[in-house]
């Protein structure tokens, strides 16, 4: 049903149940009174007595404010309004044309389509679910700002269709968030070391920038997001790593990340602040974009402690290297190792894929030092 259709039928029901009896019981009054009519896109929704104008305005304000409740506290609301042209017009009507106040909330809060929430099942990921519900992966991310796509598990709830009200609320806001600037890794070649050997001469430190976003929300969800301004607060400090050039196994490739031949880092390690909710989310590893099927190699000697399906990580391997060091390889298409198996540095352990929550083929690579994830860039 169209939005107009919903309101027409609502208005019809209200006319029948409320106005019609009034017409019979009250004889046609000649005296007209001052009243207010709520008009949406040229259509009359209801008429209230003059004394109730402020109460209607309060209902409208509360109706709009329900869509601000998830917005970050320090965000600045610039504009609140309706997508439709909606206003209260002063009119002169016969007293029997005035609707009872109960109609006001009923019409303002009218819903065209209820929200649809689904439960995650084994094997589900944002990619397949987006396809199933005719959305983009980005739509799903926008609808579920509190959910980390890489960490969904069976039983988790996911919103796939927001509630669609008849009266659409548009909110414009600005928010300033501090975001990290990734550091680069500079290599110093050393022909006395083998290609898999390396030494961190200087650890990298992320920089910081302040980003000013302009965001438009439609019924509480991001409709547009633009960067208005960026200010560098702290430049990143690059890492310096000594790497060997003596070859054992030839791997080559456009960019050799040691554990995989990839094309670029598509997502870095660390905190990101959600520009709308202001909530912090942590990315435990780095995502290296790489062609599907490319071999994934063990970071260094170790023992496989996990090999199999792991929620949003899809097919995933965890290797214990001793000395409190573990590495994780996620979103694989194939796994060539078993739990308990010993692996050697540069041994082929799996193949690049897009399983679990992944929008395209890539390796999510994690380095865990003494139980805590740490920036893998300092280890590659
Ligand atoms: Zn990742």
């Amino acid at each position: 049903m169209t939005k107009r259709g919903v309101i027409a039928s609502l208005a019809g029901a209200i006319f029948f149940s409320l106005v019609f009896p009034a017409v019979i019981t009250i004889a046609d009054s000649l005296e007209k009174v001052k009243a207010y009519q709520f008009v949406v896109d040229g259509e009359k929704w209801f008429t209230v007595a003059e004394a109730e104008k402020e109460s209607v305005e309060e209902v409208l304000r509360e109706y709009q404010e329900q869509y601000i409740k998830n917005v970050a506290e320090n965000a600045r609301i610039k504009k609140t309004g309706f997508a439709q042209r909606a206003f209260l017009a002063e009119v002169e009507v016969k007293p029997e044309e005035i609707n009872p106040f109960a109609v006001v909330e009923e019409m303002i809060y009218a819903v065209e389509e209820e929200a649809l929430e689904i439960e995650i099942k084994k094997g589900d990921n944002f990619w397949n679910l987006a396809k199933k519900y005719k959305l983009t992966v980005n739509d799903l991310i926008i609808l579920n700002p509190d959910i980390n796509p890489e960490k969904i598990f069976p039983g988790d709830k996911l919103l796939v269709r927001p509630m669609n009200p008849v009266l659409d609320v548009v909110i414009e806001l600005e928010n300033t968030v501090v975001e990290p600037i990734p550091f680069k890794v500079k290599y110093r070649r050393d022909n006395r070391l083998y290609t898999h050997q390396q030494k961190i001469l200087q650890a990298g430190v992320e920089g910081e920038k302040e980003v000013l976003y302009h965001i438009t929300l439609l019924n509480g969800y991001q409709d547009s997001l633009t960067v208005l301004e960026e200010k560098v607060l702290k430049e990143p400090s690059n890492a310096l790593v000594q790497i060997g050039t003596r070859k054992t196994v030839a791997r080559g490739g456009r960019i050799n990340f040691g554990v995989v031949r990839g094309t670029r880092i598509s997502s870095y390690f660390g905190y990101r602040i959600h520009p709308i909710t202001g909530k912090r989310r942590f990315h435990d590893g780095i995502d290296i974009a790489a062609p599907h099927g490319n071999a994934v190699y063990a970071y260094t000697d170790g023992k496989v402690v996990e090999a199999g399906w792991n929620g949003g990580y899809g097919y995933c391997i965890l290797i214990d290297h001793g000395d409190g060091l573990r590495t994780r390889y996620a979103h694989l298409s194939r796994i060539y190792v078993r739990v308990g198996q010993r692996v050697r540095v540069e041994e082929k352990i799996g193949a690049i894929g897009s399983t679990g929550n992944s929008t395209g083929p890539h390796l999510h690579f994690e380095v865990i030092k003494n139980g805590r994830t740490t920036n893998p860039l300092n280890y590659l």
Side-chain angles (χ1 to χ4, degrees):
M1 205 189 295
T2 63
K3 298 221 165 180
R4 289 181 83 91
V6 171
I7 280 306
S9 60
L10 248 178
I14 287 158
F15 175 81
F16 194 78
S17 64
L18 301 161
V19 179
F20 193 61
V23 176
I24 303 168
T25 51
I26 303 167
D28 232 15
S29 59
L30 299 169
E31 288 282 303
K32 283 199 170 184
V33 294
K34 192 167 148 188
Y36 285 89
Q37 206 159 58
F38 189 55
V39 182
V40 179
D41 280 345
E43 206 172 325
K44 281 179 259 170
W45 274 28
F46 53 78
T47 309
V48 291
E50 188 186 9
E52 281 170 338
K53 184 188 181 217
E54 276 180 30
S55 305
V56 173
E57 285 169 339
E58 180 60 28
V59 172
L60 288 170
R61 232 185 342 265
E62 273 175 20
Y63 175 74
Q64 292 178 334
E65 278 168 6
Q66 66 176 323
Y67 293 110
I68 303 178
K69 64 179 192 288
N70 288 326
V71 169
E73 230 169 71
N74 53 335
R76 295 168 299 283
I77 307 292
K78 293 294 198 184
K79 216 166 123 189
T80 305
F82 295 111
Q84 291 86 357
R85 208 173 111 73
F87 57 94
L88 275 174
E90 193 185 308
V91 288
E92 298 263 315
V93 295
K94 291 175 189 169
E96 60 262 32
E97 287 177 65
I98 288 174
N99 296 123
F101 195 75
V103 171
V104 173
E105 282 204 3
E106 195 179 333
M107 292 199 77
I108 289 173
Y109 281 87
V111 170
E112 189 180 342
E113 206 175 9
E114 292 293 348
L116 178 61
E117 203 180 56
I118 56 142
E119 195 175 292
I120 300 287
K121 293 189 189 64
K122 186 178 181 292
D124 277 349
N125 61 54
F126 272 35
W127 188 246
N128 296 337
L129 289 170
K131 230 171 156 183
K132 185 169 170 190
Y133 292 97
K134 297 187 174 64
L135 300 164
T136 65
V137 170
N138 200 39
D139 291 337
L140 270 184
I141 291 170
I142 286 169
L143 289 178
N144 298 277
D146 292 340
I147 291 175
N148 182 345
E150 280 190 329
K151 288 191 174 164
I152 59 162
F153 293 97
D156 288 353
K157 297 273 195 295
L158 202 67
L159 185 66
V160 292
R161 194 181 66 210
M163 189 260 284
N164 184 5
V166 180
L167 197 52
D168 296 306
V169 175
V170 178
I171 294 163
E172 280 183 40
L173 59 105
E174 281 181 13
N175 196 13
T176 308
V177 289
V178 175
E179 294 185 355
I181 307 173
F183 59 82
K184 292 191 177 72
V185 184
K186 303 252 154 125
Y187 295 99
R188 185 177 289 167
R189 292 168 194 288
D190 188 332
N191 63 9
R192 288 163 301 176
L193 300 175
Y194 285 104
T195 48
H196 67 266
Q197 292 178 304
Q198 54 180 299
K199 217 164 100 191
I200 302 166
L201 299 177
Q202 188 192 302
V205 182
E206 284 182 332
E208 263 182 2
K209 62 182 174 181
E210 212 173 62
V211 186
L212 172 62
Y213 286 100
H214 180 270
I215 298 157
T216 310
L217 301 179
L218 176 63
N219 300 324
Y221 293 98
Q222 179 191 316
D223 193 40
S224 77
L225 179 139
T226 44
V227 173
L228 293 182
E229 211 180 287
E230 272 195 18
K231 200 165 82 191
V232 174
L233 300 177
K234 198 179 103 197
E235 293 286 355
S237 150
N238 293 334
L240 187 61
V241 179
Q242 192 170 32
I243 51 161
T245 54
R246 284 179 76 177
K247 281 200 172 128
T248 48
V249 187
R251 280 186 282 172
R254 261 213 277 176
I255 302 175
N256 188 345
F257 291 101
V259 290
V260 71
R261 260 163 49 204
T263 49
R264 68 190 179 91
I265 294 176
S266 53
S267 178
Y268 288 87
F269 173 87
Y271 279 110
R272 298 294 177 274
I273 295 172
H274 195 283
I276 296 171
T277 63
K279 288 184 183 160
R280 280 150 71 98
R281 175 184 295 171
F282 199 75
H283 188 217
D284 292 298
I286 56 168
D287 292 344
I288 304 168
H292 191 276
N294 260 22
V296 174
Y297 305 95
Y299 175 70
T300 186
D301 295 355
K303 191 174 166 186
V304 177
V305 288
E306 281 174 25
W309 186 268
N310 183 359
Y313 281 141
Y315 287 110
C316 178
I317 298 170
L318 182 67
I319 300 176
D320 188 358
H321 305 290
D323 284 334
L325 183 71
R326 287 179 163 202
T327 52
R328 174 175 276 134
Y329 313 76
H331 310 303
L332 304 172
S333 59
R334 308 192 68 172
I335 292 180
Y336 304 127
V337 291
R338 295 178 320 276
V339 171
Q341 189 180 329
R342 297 219 150 259
V343 289
R344 300 292 311 273
V345 61
E346 294 194 320
E347 185 174 330
K348 211 187 271 189
I349 54 170
I352 288 290
S354 191
T355 55
N357 264 313
S358 159
T359 55
H362 78 278
L363 177 71
H364 168 94
F365 178 63
E366 232 172 87
V367 174
I368 304 148
K369 186 74 188 163
N370 298 324
R372 294 184 59 170
T373 53
T374 178
N375 196 334
L377 282 183
N378 283 321
Y379 285 82
L380 288 179

